[in-house]
């Protein structure tokens, strides 16, 4: 005879409590970074009384929790993508062709930082960044080389671009037309989620409101002229990379989407005229089931949101997404572990129902990916598609008590944040108020504190360390050679064009931007066709809109509270107190980003955690030149400068900083330390340039702080 359900649960409770030596299973709740309690057991009872998630629905059916398509991968697997782009258009083109031959299905283009920020390669402000974090694109001529031999009527192209989105997208369209193609056949996505740039990644140029004008004009133009092209990819990816938890990533991304819908409606478009071409982009981190549930929750909430906007077309109601495995989960220590991380992150994305996927290479916490590492990353997806059987069943985890409850919990938590954003007047106003940025920075600091304190295990970093770290080959880009080549091409371009015709097009852009008339993408296409450069079109817009400069507001007290009574934490505080007694003031540190790299997660975490330890902290503005940093450091009489680098500018920008410091004061005793993505083989180069310490990804904040106070004390 079967026991009744309550008796079975009671018996399980007793057995569980006895085995784990606690009074009741309720003591065993695990609280996630999102503040969601994970129970040790889920049953049928956890499937009752849902507000958002309806477990009776089917794939391809409202609200699309189980997938945007009825057939999903049984009919067609997800698109295998891989971001590529480095050095010159010529080198990137070779790389693209090889990848396509090896099984890649779509192109995902990464541009270098000067291109993102609307500077041409010959601008002195970008000397250290050209061709480093992506491909340098200055004109239509570069774009034509980039896609040489690649039929743009058959290949879907995804391009991440924000600040200089108009000239870059315009150059792509003209390149397609000069292949002999009608723009109507061009397919792909432009990932111009500008609002997220003001929260995390910072590759903006113009202030929020005029930036939204650009988005609206792109949506309006592509809806009419490019029906196969996704006019925007709304990106949560970079939020998670900056430290957002999954609920924050989901909520702020959907809130961004709502703002873009409103921007398009303001152009007089009907919602179903453009909404089918909206797409999303999410990061997939290491919390396996949470990531699966996040993608299911995203579709569920978006269907509700779009219905509220009056959408009736099924394609308007379905959230389609591209995903990328986490970059922030990649570790410099024991890097082959990253292959495992990427593999299960990829599986999580697939079980969550992504439509396309990019898998990171295992060496991306060290340097740019090599051909060898890229092949492993790509094959990860091909193995999933061809060997695991995951494409044989649609939404195989549906009905899981845990996954369904987690989907509902994420929906509920994300919806609360969306309502908070709406109360502030929508995402543009929320961004202006700084609410999303600060909440993400707080989450990032908490995460780092958990890792540094050992409360969260990272294998090979804070536990199960490898006593013998492997040597990894890395891709090296000759930045100076790339820049010289680009400058030559720009010079040739300007000699061969009609400057008078171009000037007329640039003036029209400025006037239309000032007067809020015309379509700025349409005007940018004509300027790029007349062989304008990315920098020239960007400047024409800047003349009307101005350039945006962010202000730094950090969080405080978040890191320190994870280390109450921690011996090492208190020892560092004691050393700082001794320094203050001996020198009459606390050790002062300037934390900076140089060049055009806007990834400031690491810099912000170091600044806030060092402040909690007792350092006096100055935070430099983004996009500083080495000369600016040296001037600020000496004027503010700091003891040390901490340089955060991610885009491989350390071999050009850091030596320039040292030269600038010595030029101002030959006797300066400022300690300079560097952190970020730096290959080990570059360490000696930096030491030879008088750098005092180098902290790679995964370095404990406490370890770096201890080293810094020791170095300052010796000076």
């Amino acid at each position: 005879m079967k026991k009744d359900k309550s008796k079975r649960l009671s018996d399980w409770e007793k057995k569980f409590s006895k085995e784990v030596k606690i009074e009741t299973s309720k003591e065993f709740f695990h609280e996630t970074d999102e503040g969601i309690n994970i129970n040790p057991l889920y049953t049928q009872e956890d499937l009752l009384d849902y507000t958002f998630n309806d477990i009776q629905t089917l794939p391809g059916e409202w609200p699309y929790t189980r997938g945007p398509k009825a057939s999903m991968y049984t009919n067609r697997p997800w698109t295998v993508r891989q971001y590529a782009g480095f050095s010159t258009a010529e080198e990137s083109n070779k790389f693209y062709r090889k990848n396509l031959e090896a099984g890649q299905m779509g192109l995902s283009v990464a541009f270098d930082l000067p291109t993102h920020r609307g500077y041409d390669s010959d601008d002195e402000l970008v000397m250290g960044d050209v061709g480093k974090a992506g491909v340098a694109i200055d004109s239509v001529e570069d774009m034509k080389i980039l896609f040489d031999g690649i039929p743009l009527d058959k290949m879907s192209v995804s391009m991440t671009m924000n600040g200089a989105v108009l000239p870059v997208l315009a150059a792509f369209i003209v390149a397609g037309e000069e292949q002999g193609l009608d723009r109507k056949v061009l397919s792909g996505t432009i990932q111009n989620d500008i609002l997220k740039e003001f929260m995390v990644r910072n590759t903006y140029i113009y202030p929020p409101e005029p930036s939204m004008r650009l988005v609206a004009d792109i949506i309006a133009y592509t809806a009419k002229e490019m029906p196969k092209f996704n006019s925007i990819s709304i990106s949560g990816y970079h939020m998670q990379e900056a430290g957002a938890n999954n609920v924050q990533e989901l909520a702020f991304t959907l809130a961004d989407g709502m703002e873009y819908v409103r921007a398009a409606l303001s152009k007089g478009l009907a919602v179903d005229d453009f909404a089918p071409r909206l797409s999303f982009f999410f990061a997939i981190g290491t919390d396996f089931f949470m990531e699966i549930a996040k993608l299911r929750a995203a579709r569920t909430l978006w269907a509700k949101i779009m219905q509220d906007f009056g959408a009736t077309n099924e394609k308007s109601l379905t959230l389609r997404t591209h995903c990328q495995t986490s970059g922030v989960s990649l570790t410099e220590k024991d890097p082959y572990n990253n292959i495992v991380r990427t593999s299960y992150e990829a599986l999580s994305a697939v079980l969550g129902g992504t439509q396309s996927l990019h898998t990171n290479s295992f060496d991306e916490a060290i340097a740019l990916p090599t051909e060898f590492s890229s092949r492993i990353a790509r094959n990860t997806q091909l193995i999933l598609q061809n060997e695991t059987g995951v494409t044989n069943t649609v939404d195989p985890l549906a009905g899981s008590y845990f996954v369904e409850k987690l989907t509902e919990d994420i929906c509920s938590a994300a919806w609360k944040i969306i309502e908070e954003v709406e109360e502030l007047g929508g995402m543009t106003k929320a961004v202006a108020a700084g609410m999303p940025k600060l909440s993400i920075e707080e989450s990032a600091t908490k995460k780092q504190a958990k890792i540094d304190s050992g409360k969260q295990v990272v294998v090979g970093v804070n536990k199960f360390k490898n006593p013998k770290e492997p040597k990894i080959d890395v891709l090296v880009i000759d930045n100076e050679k790339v820049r010289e080549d680009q400058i030559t091409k720009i010079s040739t371009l300007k000699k061969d064009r009609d400057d008078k015709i171009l000037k007329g097009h640039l003036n029209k852009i400025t006037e239309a931007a000032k007067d809020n008339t015309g379509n700025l993408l349409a005007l940018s296409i004509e300027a790029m066709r007349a062989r304008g450069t990315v920098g020239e079109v960007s400047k024409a817009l800047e003349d009307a809109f101005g350039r945006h400069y962010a202000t730094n507001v950090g969080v405080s007290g978040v890191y320190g509270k994870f280390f109450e009574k921690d011996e090492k934490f208190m020892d560092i505080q004691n050393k700082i107190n001794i320094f203050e007694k001996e020198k009459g003031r606390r050790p002062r540190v300037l934390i900076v980003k140089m060049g055009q790299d806007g990834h400031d997660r690491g810099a912000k975490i170091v600044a806030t955690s060092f402040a909690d330890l007792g350092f006096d902290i100055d935070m430099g503005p983004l996009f500083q030149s080495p000369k600016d940093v040296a001037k600020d450091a000496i004027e503010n009489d700091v003891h040390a400068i901490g340089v955060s680098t991610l885009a491989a500018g350390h071999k050009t920008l850091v030596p320039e900083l040292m030269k600038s410091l010595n030029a101002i004061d030959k006797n300066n005793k400022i300690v300079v330390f560097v952190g970020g993505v730096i290959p080990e083989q570059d360490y000696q180069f930096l030491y030879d340039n008088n750098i005092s310490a180098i902290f790679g990804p995964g370095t404990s904040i406490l370890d770096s702080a201890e080293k810094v106070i020791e170095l300052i004390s010796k000076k």
Side-chain angles (χ1 to χ4, degrees):
M1 182 177 165
K2 285 186 177 179
K3 300 181 191 175
D4 69 49
K5 191 180 293 181
S6 60
K7 179 67 167 74
R8 286 161 58 210
L9 280 172
S10 175
D11 288 350
W12 170 84
E13 171 87 29
K14 288 174 184 173
K15 286 179 182 177
F16 179 89
S17 301
K18 186 178 179 182
E19 287 170 12
V20 298
K21 298 180 174 59
I22 55 176
E23 290 293 319
T24 169
S25 65
K26 288 187 172 65
E27 295 176 30
F28 204 78
F29 283 151
H30 169 74
E31 186 177 341
T32 69
D33 292 339
E34 295 75 17
I36 294 171
N37 284 328
I38 304 298
N39 304 337
L41 179 70
Y42 289 84
T43 69
Q44 197 170 1
E45 301 301 311
D46 292 292
L47 302 182
L48 305 174
D49 299 324
Y50 285 180
T51 301
F52 298 96
N53 184 19
D54 183 352
I55 64 169
Q56 301 301 322
T57 62
L58 297 171
E61 177 183 286
W62 167 272
Y64 310 100
T65 309
R66 298 193 61 186
K69 298 280 187 182
S71 57
M72 291 302 291
Y73 309 139
T74 60
N75 178 52
R76 180 186 170 193
W78 64 93
T79 301
V80 177
R81 292 192 181 275
Q82 200 159 23
Y83 281 112
F86 53 86
S87 181
T88 60
E90 290 88 347
E91 290 299 314
S92 295
N93 177 260
K94 290 177 191 174
F95 195 69
Y96 292 164
R97 291 193 186 199
K98 281 183 183 177
N99 287 358
L100 293 171
E101 288 168 8
Q104 188 173 315
M105 300 171 191
L107 288 177
S108 294
V109 184
F111 298 101
D112 73 356
L113 292 168
T115 304
H116 273 283
R117 293 269 295 146
Y119 295 112
D120 291 331
S121 299
D122 58 359
D123 196 305
E124 287 298 316
L125 290 171
V126 301
M127 55 181 293
D129 295 308
V130 178
K132 295 295 280 189
V135 59
I137 296 292
D138 292 308
S139 70
V140 168
E141 295 301 327
D142 287 331
M143 198 70 81
K144 287 171 72 174
I145 295 167
L146 188 65
F147 296 114
D148 182 43
I150 298 171
L152 293 178
D153 56 335
K154 296 182 175 68
M155 184 59 59
S156 172
V157 178
S158 174
M159 297 177 286
T160 302
M161 178 47 57
N162 288 283
V165 61
L166 288 188
V168 169
L169 180 54
F172 170 76
I173 293 166
V174 175
E177 290 176 345
E178 293 187 8
Q179 276 191 6
L181 304 173
D182 189 307
R183 66 179 76 112
K184 286 183 168 48
V185 305
L186 299 177
S187 65
T189 304
I190 189 80
Q191 294 180 8
N192 62 319
D193 180 357
I194 191 64
L195 287 173
K196 89 53 189 82
E197 299 297 320
F198 297 104
M199 289 184 253
V200 290
R201 192 161 171 252
N202 302 303
T203 58
Y204 45 71
I205 300 175
Y206 319 109
E209 288 193 6
S211 295
M212 288 296 293
R213 160 89 189 275
L214 307 191
V215 174
D217 279 7
I218 290 168
I219 294 173
Y221 183 90
T222 53
K224 182 181 177 183
E225 299 289 334
M226 302 169 71
K228 295 177 70 176
F229 198 83
N230 296 326
S231 52
I232 188 171
S233 178
I234 304 151
S235 174
Y237 178 86
H238 299 97
M239 298 181 199
Q240 190 180 119
E241 292 295 276
N245 63 50
N246 279 276
V247 166
Q248 289 172 330
E249 179 193 6
L250 176 58
F252 292 140
T253 304
L254 296 185
D256 276 1
M258 293 165 70
E259 198 79 335
Y260 297 129
V261 170
R262 293 186 183 111
L265 293 173
S266 74
K267 290 290 177 180
L269 295 172
V271 66
D272 287 324
D273 289 345
F274 64 88
R277 306 310 313 167
L278 300 178
S279 68
F280 287 79
F281 176 29
F282 289 106
I284 304 296
T286 56
D287 194 337
F288 187 76
F289 291 105
M290 183 71 73
E291 295 290 359
I292 294 167
K294 178 182 75 183
L295 296 185
R296 302 174 92 246
R299 291 190 292 272
T300 306
L301 292 179
W302 188 245
K304 169 180 166 53
I305 288 166
M306 293 309 294
Q307 193 176 60
D308 291 345
F309 275 113
T312 56
N313 185 337
E314 184 176 84
K315 290 182 177 178
S316 300
L317 299 166
T318 52
L319 179 145
R320 293 164 305 282
T321 190
H322 166 68
C323 290
Q324 182 176 339
T325 58
S326 172
V328 76
S329 70
L330 301 176
T331 64
E332 180 197 37
K333 301 291 184 186
D334 216 359
Y336 289 116
N337 289 342
N338 295 332
I339 298 172
V340 180
R341 292 185 180 101
T342 296
S343 297
Y344 72 73
E345 288 170 354
L347 179 58
S348 187
V350 167
L351 293 175
T354 190
Q355 281 74 67
S356 73
L357 180 60
H358 163 76
T359 33
N360 283 328
S361 301
F362 73 86
D363 51 359
E364 288 187 61
I366 303 167
L368 294 168
T370 61
E371 205 167 313
F372 170 73
S373 66
S374 295
R375 179 174 177 79
I376 294 173
R378 184 168 55 253
N379 285 351
T380 300
Q381 294 193 55
L382 297 176
I383 290 166
L384 280 176
Q385 287 188 352
N386 294 282
E387 297 186 25
T388 62
V390 293
T391 62
N392 297 337
T393 302
V394 183
D395 193 22
L397 287 184
S400 158
Y401 303 141
F402 178 37
V403 171
E404 297 290 4
K405 179 64 165 63
L406 197 52
T407 301
E408 174 69 14
D409 288 346
I410 292 173
C411 281
S412 181
W415 194 249
K416 286 179 183 174
I417 296 176
I418 291 170
E419 288 181 324
E420 186 180 348
V421 170
E422 288 296 284
E423 284 173 11
L424 290 170
M427 205 57 180
T428 305
K429 286 187 169 62
V431 164
M435 179 273 252
K437 189 176 184 71
L438 276 175
S439 62
I440 290 171
E441 286 174 8
E442 183 175 350
S443 173
T445 306
K446 281 181 181 175
K447 182 90 167 178
Q448 188 65 45
K450 283 182 179 179
I451 294 168
D452 288 351
S453 63
K455 292 181 174 66
Q456 182 168 326
V457 172
V458 182
V459 174
V461 175
N462 65 356
K463 203 170 182 180
F464 314 113
K465 296 180 183 180
N466 189 349
K468 192 175 179 181
E469 288 288 334
K471 295 286 183 185
I472 304 293
D473 290 330
V474 299
L475 180 65
V476 177
I477 303 295
D478 187 342
N479 160 248
E480 290 183 11
K481 176 66 167 61
V482 174
R483 187 163 182 259
E484 285 170 11
D485 290 347
Q486 289 301 117
I487 290 172
T488 299
K489 287 194 282 186
I490 292 171
S491 179
T492 303
L493 177 94
K494 290 183 176 180
K495 282 178 187 173
D496 294 343
R497 72 190 186 187
D498 189 321
D499 283 338
K500 189 176 178 182
I501 291 174
L502 174 61
K503 182 68 175 171
H505 290 303
L506 294 174
N507 287 339
K508 285 179 182 177
I509 291 172
T510 304
E511 289 164 12
K514 284 179 178 176
D515 301 340
N516 197 22
T517 57
N519 186 287
L520 293 174
L521 175 56
L523 294 168
S524 297
I525 289 170
E526 296 311 312
M528 296 305 286
R529 197 191 316 277
R531 278 10 191 206
T533 66
V534 168
E536 288 168 332
V537 172
S538 298
K539 182 63 168 59
L541 290 161
E542 187 182 339
D543 288 343
F545 295 147
R547 184 171 281 267
H548 178 72
Y549 296 96
T551 53
N552 281 317
V553 181
V555 297
S556 62
V558 173
Y559 187 87
K561 72 180 181 184
F562 283 85
F563 293 91
E564 290 178 3
K565 298 180 181 178
D566 180 271
E567 284 187 18
K568 190 167 185 175
F569 191 90
M570 290 190 294
D571 183 55
I572 295 167
Q573 286 185 318
N574 187 48
K575 286 177 179 175
I576 290 170
N577 290 334
I578 291 168
F579 182 96
E580 184 179 9
K581 284 178 184 175
E582 290 178 352
K583 307 292 184 181
R585 62 182 181 123
R586 292 192 293 177
R588 189 165 188 173
V589 181
L590 172 63
I591 305 294
V592 299
K593 297 286 295 185
M594 291 190 291
Q596 299 306 306
D597 177 21
H599 296 84
D600 61 351
R601 172 184 177 273
K604 286 288 182 65
I605 287 174
V606 170
T608 56
S609 53
F610 270 42
D612 283 359
L613 280 158
F615 289 90
D616 275 339
I617 296 295
D618 295 326
M619 188 84 190
L622 285 169
F623 316 120
Q624 279 189 298
S625 71
K627 287 180 181 177
D628 292 335
V629 173
K631 184 171 177 286
D632 285 356
I634 288 172
E635 284 181 355
N636 293 319
D637 195 20
V638 303
H639 297 101
I641 303 171
V643 179
S644 173
T645 178
L646 187 66
H650 55 275
K651 290 188 78 172
T652 50
L653 297 169
V654 173
E656 281 298 315
L657 170 61
M658 303 309 292
K659 286 179 189 173
S660 298
L661 284 169
N662 292 328
I664 299 172
D665 181 3
K666 288 181 181 179
N667 299 312
N668 93 83
K669 295 182 178 180
I670 296 173
V671 170
V672 180
F673 61 96
V674 183
V677 179
I678 303 169
E680 192 175 346
Q681 52 264 52
D682 289 351
Y683 281 21
Q684 193 57 52
F685 170 86
L686 292 174
Y687 289 135
D688 290 344
N689 278 273
N690 297 317
I691 298 307
S692 299
I694 302 166
F695 306 115
T699 303
S700 161
I701 294 290
L702 295 187
D703 288 346
S704 60
E706 184 176 49
K707 181 70 173 177
V708 170
I709 186 62
E710 286 174 1
L711 288 166
I712 292 173
S713 299
K714 288 176 184 175
K715 289 283 185 175

